[in-house]
Structures are given as structure tokens and as C-alpha cells.
């Protein structure tokens, strides 16, 4: 019987890394590529999968069959699959020893669901969950070590805060920092100098969308923040903080305070964040900003007192601001 693997979970980056290692182990591209079959989308049939898995490798020792998203559909009892997938587990027991089948599902599978049952009891199952909190900072430290550099604790925490759980983007920024400081530990100043403020940019964009009464865009940005480890409460507080800073910056600007002094007075020392805040302060009336700030705090209170479910409160808040 051939090898069967299952890679599943919400950590897309680590799944991609694991799949890359499997491909590399199958030989150089000139040998591997003609003997690799990948099934994507929703149109392939069980007969096609089994035919590919049963084929003898061509001028190579192994054949690789990659199947994306199938087990998730089985878990969800997707009716479009039809009955021909019922015998999948039995068919997989018959594939030759020269075949390796890899199921790739970028969502967690249920332990007792149809998906893992279909892969069979002998499948090598690996679950990849996106790290959060302390686990995310540990991942960042390990990734710096992977590239042969060190980073101090503040730098690790700052980088994890800025980018959140976007591991692919984190990896790119860590590579950049490892080239920038190859012979010394990476510092928090290096991070602030070299890393684009991805998380802050999302907050600025969400504030713009809220203030410009674009609810669809605002909600998409907020849901993106949720996917990267934020909570509804933290998003509302981030938005409220930014609107408050915009209000203060506008008042100080009209009083003739220079831009660099405004940053010092409102506690905003990051040049990028200050420039964004000053830009926003010049675009919207103070009365409108004050009303938005009150609505944000009211939504926060409604959630904390249990008067409203979190996501519903967020959607009603954004919808109400769009109609204001």
C-alpha cells in the first residue's frame, strides 16, 4: 500500500511548507513534475483520482497525487460529491507502494468526521493551526533562528503585533530583517525602520472606510483583522483609539501646533502612524468624528454588558455609521 498523508488546518503557510518538502523529497523537477497529479476545484471525480493514484510512475521511483479541499467537502457532506466517493477509503488501500497521496485541506477537519475516515486509519495526519499570542511570538523567534539570526524580545513582540497571524507576510519580513542585520540581534528599532506597518495600515484603512460610509469595505477589513487574531472588542477599541487621536490631532492642528509636536502631545511617535493620523484629521469635521467616537464606545459597552452579540454589534455599528 502507498503512503497517504493529510495536511489540514488554518495555518496555510505551514501547510504550504510541508507540501513543498514532500514535493522536494520526490526528486528533482524533471523527474517529479511528470509524475505529479494535482486535483483542484470541485469538478474532479473519484475515478480520476483513483486512476492517477494507481498509475505506475514514469521513469521514477514515486508518483505523487495531491488533492486539494476534498476532505473538507466530505466533512461538510457536500451533496455535489455524489455517492461515488463512498468507497474512497477502500480504494486507497489498493494503491501501489510507489504512490504517495496527499490530501490538503486549509480548514481544520473533524476528528470523527467523514473526511479523516475517508483518508483511512493508516493515513499520516498532520494538523497545522495558526499560532496566536505567545505561540505566535515563539514562531517568530524560531523563524529568525531558521534564517540564522537572533532578535531581542521587544523586536519579536513588535513584529508579531504589527503583522499578526499572517505567517507568509511574517516570513517575508523576517527574511528582510535577517539580511538587514545579519551579524547582530534584530532590535525593535530595526523592526520599526524596516517593516511596513501591516496591522496599523489595516486599522487606518478601516477607519477611512467607516468615516467615508463604506460599510462593505469596512466590514471586510474588520473581518480580516478578526482572522489575524483580533477580537471584536479589540477592533472596536483600536478604531475608537484611532478616531480619538484624529480628533486630538485636528484640534491641535487648528491651534497652530507643528506636526512633530502634535505627535509628542498625543503620544504618537511613529512617523508613519502620525502622518496617517494627520491626513485623516484634515478630511472630516470634528463633530462627525466625535459622533463616531461615541458610537464606538456605545458598541463596546453593549458587548461588555451582554446586551448584544459581538459580531452583530459590529455589523450594526458599521451599518449605523454608514447611514449617519
Amino acid at each position: 500500500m502507498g503512503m497517504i498523508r493529510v495536511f489540514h488546518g488554518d495555518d496555510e503557510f505551514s501547510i504550504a511548507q510541508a507540501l513543498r518538502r514532500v514535493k522536494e523529497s520526490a526528486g528533482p523537477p524533471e523527474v517529479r513534475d511528470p509524475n505529479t497529479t494535482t486535483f483542484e476545484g470541485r469538478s474532479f471525480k473519484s475515478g480520476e483520482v483513483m486512476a492517477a493514484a494507481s498509475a505506475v510512475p514514469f521513469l521514477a521511483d514515486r508518483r505523487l497525487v495531491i488533492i486539494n479541499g476534498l476532505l473538507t467537502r466530505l466533512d461538510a457532506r457536500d451533496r455535489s460529491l455524489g455517492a461515488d466517493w463512498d468507497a474512497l477509503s477502500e480504494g486507497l488501500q489498493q494503491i501501489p507502494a510507489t504512490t504517495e497521496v496527499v490530501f490538503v485541506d486549509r480548514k481544520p477537519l473533524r476528528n470523527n468526521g467523514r473526511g479523516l475516515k475517508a483518508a483511512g486509519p493508516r493515513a499520516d495526519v498532520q494538523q497545522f493551526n495558526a499560532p496566536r499570542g505567545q505561540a505566535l511570538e515563539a514562531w517568530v523567534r524560531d523563524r529568525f533562528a531558521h534564517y540564522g539570526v537572533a532578535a531581542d524580545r521587544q523586536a519579536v513582540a513588535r513584529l508579531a503585533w504589527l503583522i499578526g497571524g499572517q505567517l507568509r507576510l511574517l516570513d517575508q519580513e523576517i527574511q528582510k530583517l535577517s539580511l538587514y542585520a545579519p551579524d547582530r540581534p534584530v532590535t525593535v528599532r530595526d523592526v520599526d525602520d524596516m517593516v511596513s506597518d501591516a496591522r496599523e495600515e489595516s486599522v487606518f484603512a478601516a477607519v477611512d472606510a467607516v468615516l467615508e460610509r463604506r460599510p462593505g469595505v469596512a466590514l471586510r477589513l474588520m473581518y480580516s483583522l478578526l482572522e489575524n487574531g483580533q477580537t471584536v472588542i479589540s477592533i472596536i477599541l483600536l478604531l475608537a483609539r484611532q478616531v480619538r487621536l484624529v480628533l486630538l490631532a485636528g484640534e491641535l492642528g487648528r491651534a497652530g501646533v507643528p506636526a512633530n509636536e502634535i505627535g509628542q502631545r498625543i503620544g504618537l511617535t511613529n512617523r508613519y502612524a502620525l502622518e496617517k493620523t494627520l491626513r485623516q484629521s484634515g478630511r472630516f469635521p470634528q463633530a462627525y468624528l466625535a459622533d463616531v467616537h461615541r458610537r464606538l464606545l456605545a458598541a463596546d459597552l453593549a458587548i461588555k454588558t451582554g446586551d448584544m452579540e459581538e459580531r452583530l454589534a459590529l455589523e450594526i455599528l458599521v451599518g449605523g455609521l454608514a447611514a449617519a
Side-chain angles (χ1 to χ4, degrees):
M1 174 183 166
M3 182 69 184
I4 301 170
R5 299 182 189 271
V6 177
F7 297 154
H8 72 108
D10 58 3
D11 181 356
E12 183 273 336
F13 177 78
S14 296
I15 289 175
Q17 295 287 100
L19 184 59
R20 178 181 60 80
R21 290 191 292 270
V22 169
K23 290 180 178 180
E24 290 176 349
S25 70
E30 62 271 18
V31 172
R32 177 180 71 230
D33 292 351
N35 289 288
T36 298
T37 303
T38 302
F39 291 94
E40 301 273 6
R42 304 175 64 87
S43 59
F44 56 86
K45 306 295 183 183
S46 63
E48 298 170 345
V49 171
M50 295 313 305
S54 301
V56 176
F58 178 71
L59 299 178
D61 296 328
R62 292 167 61 194
R63 179 165 186 79
L64 186 61
V65 178
I66 302 167
I67 309 168
N68 285 296
L70 174 63
L71 301 188
T72 301
R73 295 173 63 194
L74 287 171
D75 251 11
R77 299 185 178 273
D78 187 337
R79 294 182 179 179
S80 68
L81 285 171
D84 59 338
W85 292 100
D86 292 343
L88 175 63
S89 182
E90 181 180 345
L92 289 173
Q93 310 309 309
Q94 311 303 319
I95 62 175
T98 52
T99 294
E100 184 166 352
V101 175
V102 184
F103 293 97
V104 178
D105 288 82
R106 292 174 175 83
K107 291 183 179 180
L109 298 169
R110 298 200 308 272
N111 289 333
N112 60 348
R114 293 182 67 198
L116 290 180
K117 287 180 180 178
R122 297 180 58 184
D124 176 21
V125 179
Q126 298 183 51
Q127 183 168 358
F128 299 88
N129 296 321
R132 293 175 175 84
Q134 293 298 317
L136 180 60
E137 292 189 14
W139 188 94
V140 171
R141 283 193 297 272
D142 291 344
R143 207 63 189 165
F144 272 115
H146 173 79
Y147 291 112
V149 298
D152 65 33
R153 184 178 59 83
Q154 291 89 348
V156 168
R158 175 69 169 166
L159 189 58
W161 185 88
L162 285 174
I163 299 179
Q166 301 176 79
L167 299 190
R168 190 173 298 279
L169 179 56
L170 265 176
D171 182 66
Q172 293 172 1
E173 298 294 355
I174 291 169
Q175 288 187 60
K176 183 168 67 178
L177 286 163
S178 69
L179 295 173
Y180 179 69
D183 302 320
R184 60 173 175 80
V186 173
T187 67
V188 70
R189 182 169 181 176
D190 296 327
V191 173
D192 286 339
D193 287 345
M194 296 295 294
V195 177
S196 58
D197 289 352
R199 179 175 171 183
E200 290 184 5
E201 179 62 41
S202 295
V203 174
F204 289 127
V207 169
D208 276 342
V210 166
L211 297 179
E212 292 169 359
R213 299 178 174 87
R214 294 181 291 148
V217 175
L219 283 173
R220 282 198 298 274
L221 290 166
M222 291 178 192
Y223 288 146
S224 177
L225 288 167
L226 286 172
E227 290 172 1
N228 288 314
Q230 292 293 319
T231 65
V232 170
I233 289 291
S234 68
I235 289 172
I236 290 175
L237 291 178
L238 281 170
L239 293 174
R241 174 183 178 273
Q242 183 57 28
V243 172
R244 184 174 69 254
L245 291 174
V246 173
L247 274 165
L248 293 171
E251 291 177 359
L252 291 171
R254 281 187 294 276
V257 178
N260 60 337
E261 188 176 337
I262 289 176
Q264 294 174 1
R265 290 199 187 185
I266 66 176
L268 205 56
T269 57
N270 184 286
R271 184 177 61 183
Y272 169 85
L274 178 60
E275 289 175 353
K276 288 283 189 178
T277 301
L278 291 173
R279 177 183 60 80
Q280 290 177 331
S281 71
R283 295 180 59 201
F284 304 102
Q286 291 291 94
Y288 175 53
L289 292 170
D291 180 58
V292 170
H293 191 256
R294 283 193 296 270
R295 289 171 181 254
L296 287 164
L297 295 181
D300 175 54
L301 181 62
I303 293 171
K304 289 179 177 176
T305 57
D307 290 342
M308 195 171 295
E309 189 272 330
E310 288 189 353
R311 290 217 177 195
L312 177 61
L314 186 64
E315 292 168 359
I316 291 175
L317 167 69
V318 174
L321 289 170

